[in-house]
Amino acid sequence: MTVWTDHLAHLGATLADNALSFAAPTDEARAATDNTIVVPLLHLGTIRSVGPDSAEFLHNLVSNDVKKLPADGAAWNSFNSPKGRMIASFLMWSEAEGHAMVVSADILPAFLKKFSMYVLRSKVKLSDASADIALIGVSGTNAAAALDAAGLAVPTEAMKQTGGGDAPRCIRLNDSSFVVAVDTAAAPALFDALQAGGASRAGTAAWHLAMIRAGLPLITAPTQEEFVAQMLNYELIGGVSFHKGCYPGQEIVARTQYLGKLKKRMYRVAIPAGAAAQPGTDLYAPDFGEQSAGKLVNVAPAADGGFEALAVLQTSSAEVGEVHLGSVDGPRLALLDLPYALG
């Protein structure tokens, strides 16, 4: 990915591991709030599943219905442990010869290795395609216009895709956010065209903030095997099918759905400036005393110097409204709205 990352460095990006930034955290947050942004998604990687058995193979392993995924479709999906805990969350779409899965880059190698153990006699080949595919995120009020100005066909519905083959593939996540998958060699020119079309370049934290505000979680290394799908509101964003056949963890996911009220849900929260907020940090509430009442899932700097985050919490603690970070007397969090009802 040298040509792509070299281009970003030439534009002033600071690269660290799988993340990058173009400005200070508060400025990046302000850009995500006030502007349409274009973000190199280096914190994500792509796995390709190719072969005549791709749909059947994936369908038997993941939480959503792969067999019913249309050629122009995309879907949220997950791979779970036998105990129903999410090992990986990912965006999946159909391709001409199979499927693509976009996962957090920090868990991709281990996830691919584990997933490959199930191939056996299936006519399918799994590979890490991250070096060949550059992922670019575009988010904001004028995202569709920026994509159109850059010459891309823009999906008109959420979780639909356009392009593919030799053309960049554009996946619409919601009203204002898109993921573009493009050949790495063509990524620099497309990135520049999206900026010329009205999008401001921004870094990884700005994309995290956009996804947090959209209520779209991402499993990373600190949160693997911590949550059942419904704790992450996964059935609310279309990431679970309750009508498909068995898959690892299916019994637990189904039981969580149909037996009683959910005890944990994912909420959006604000964290005050000066707090040490990281994915996986425990949360505490008076009704649980010194026992953890939840964990942070994804965290991004906010324009005021604090943070916004997605957090899995005991619903009883959220209803009381007093939640603390890191300890029973840690910084107090404020609950924020999500764009969908928890039900």
Side-chain angles (χ1 to χ4, degrees):
M1 201 177 284
T2 305
V3 173
W4 177 217
T5 52
D6 283 354
H7 182 72
L8 298 174
H10 179 73
L11 293 176
T14 299
L15 299 152
D17 297 324
N18 295 318
L20 86 163
S21 61
F22 287 101
T26 53
D27 292 333
E28 296 258 333
R30 200 168 291 113
T33 303
D34 299 335
N35 304 325
T36 292
I37 55 172
V38 55
V39 180
L41 303 181
L42 300 187
H43 66 292
L44 302 175
T46 306
I47 294 172
R48 271 202 164 121
S49 172
V50 176
D53 291 346
S54 180
E56 180 76 23
F57 169 75
L58 294 172
H59 185 84
N60 292 333
L61 289 175
V62 299
S63 63
N64 218 334
D65 195 325
V66 181
K67 292 180 180 179
K68 292 184 179 179
L69 184 63
D72 65 346
W76 297 109
N77 223 318
S78 68
F79 177 63
N80 306 288
S81 73
K83 294 182 179 180
R85 302 281 167 156
M86 205 176 285
I87 294 171
S89 63
F90 47 92
L91 176 68
M92 173 185 283
W93 64 77
S94 299
E95 295 190 333
E97 296 181 347
H99 302 81
M101 297 173 282
V102 171
V103 303
S104 182
D106 67 335
I107 66 172
L108 188 151
F111 170 53
L112 177 58
K113 182 178 180 180
K114 191 175 187 68
F115 223 50
S116 298
M117 293 169 60
Y118 291 88
V119 172
L120 302 178
R121 297 180 181 178
S122 296
K123 296 178 181 178
V124 63
K125 181 179 179 180
L126 302 176
S127 64
D128 182 353
S130 304
D132 302 319
I133 301 172
L135 300 169
I136 300 173
V138 185
S139 182
T141 305
N142 297 317
L147 291 161
D148 182 67
L152 276 68
V154 182
T156 57
E157 299 178 40
M159 305 313 289
K160 292 290 187 180
Q161 58 159 317
T162 54
D166 294 331
R169 189 181 304 272
C170 183
I171 300 96
R172 187 172 201 140
L173 304 183
N174 53 29
D175 289 345
S176 59
S177 294
F178 300 79
V179 171
V180 180
V182 60
D183 184 275
T184 302
L190 178 59
F191 190 72
D192 292 346
L194 287 164
Q195 291 178 83
S200 302
R201 62 177 176 259
T204 309
W207 183 257
H208 281 316
L209 186 58
M211 295 299 96
I212 286 167
R213 290 173 174 173
L216 300 175
L218 178 69
I219 289 293
T220 58
T223 57
Q224 284 187 294
E225 298 194 54
E226 290 286 349
F227 311 116
V228 174
Q230 290 92 331
M231 295 180 188
L232 292 172
N233 304 344
Y234 230 58
E235 87 285 16
L236 301 181
I237 64 171
V240 182
S241 170
F242 296 104
H243 304 290
K244 57 168 289 185
C246 292
Y247 57 90
Q250 181 264 344
E251 183 179 350
I252 305 299
V253 174
R255 187 185 305 162
T256 301
Q257 186 71 13
Y258 296 120
L259 297 180
K261 182 180 179 181
L262 289 171
K263 294 182 178 180
K264 286 185 177 181
R265 274 294 196 185
M266 187 180 72
Y267 300 84
R268 178 173 156 241
V269 299
I271 303 170
Q278 298 291 336
T281 302
D282 283 303
L283 305 175
Y284 295 85
D287 57 330
F288 274 77
E290 295 186 358
Q291 180 184 349
S292 172
K295 288 181 181 289
L296 295 182
V297 182
N298 301 124
V299 183
D304 65 0
F307 301 87
E308 289 187 27
L310 294 175
V312 169
L313 281 171
Q314 294 282 344
T315 55
S316 60
S317 302
E319 287 166 2
V320 171
E322 183 178 346
V323 181
H324 297 268
L325 178 69
S327 65
V328 293
D329 56 355
R332 184 167 177 173
L333 311 186
L335 292 175
L336 304 173
D337 290 336
L338 284 169
Y340 49 78
L342 295 183

